[in-house]
Amino acid sequence: MHNATIRAGGLSLIVGAIAFMAVFSYLAASFHYPDVLDGSAATVLPALLATGINGRAVWALYAFLPLLFVPAGIGAFQALRQHGEGSMRAATHFASIAAVSMMAGLMRWPSVHWELARAYAGAAPEQRPLFDAVFLGLNRYLGNYIGEFLGEFTLSLFFLLSAMAMLRAGQRWIGSLGVLTAVLGMIGMFRNVTDLVAPAAEVNNYLLPLWMIVFGVRLLRRS
């Protein structure tokens, strides 16, 4: 049973990394994501609606992908608990918090933002400033604070605690990669506050899926 749990966690990390990259690439090509996030309702909402039903489906898939961190956290706990049971229990909780908060942040696109886009298309000119205020407010609350700050911070804590357990287990290069990924993630989550962290965020965009795949393979071998 333990081996199956660990295996499920490893597969979740690998599948999640590949799926994240695929969805991100699709949205970058069809929606100019993530640069489009800096725009106003007048530019972003029509562009969102123009992606059609396929775009909405991809956003929905993207929103549910973070839930893969739940089995990943459970699998990591089973695999690494002997190298720090207390810290790995905390890591499992952080993985679950990250999953829910990141999902909440992403889910605004195929749900609230989608309905805003439909209403915006038929709104009178004097009504559109209100749409812009609602759109920006949702981005700040669900996107920046919940999805990015809370989600990315707790995800980085999950990775950091798991990587430290690996270091204690003698897995030096894998553990070091995990620590680096976690630290860069904690720095990069401030990218909407200051441009000074942009290089760290850019590196982390490439390092994160690599670490997830390496971490996933490590769990599969442990099972």
Side-chain angles (χ1 to χ4, degrees), residues 45-59:
L45 293 181
L48 175 64
L49 203 59
T51 61
I53 191 63
N54 289 338
R56 190 178 190 182
V58 170
W59 272 115

Side-chain angles (χ1 to χ4, degrees), residues 5 41 100 102 140 158 165 183 199 208:
T5 302
V100 175
M102 295 176 76
R140 292 292 178 270
F158 163 51
V183 171
L208 179 59

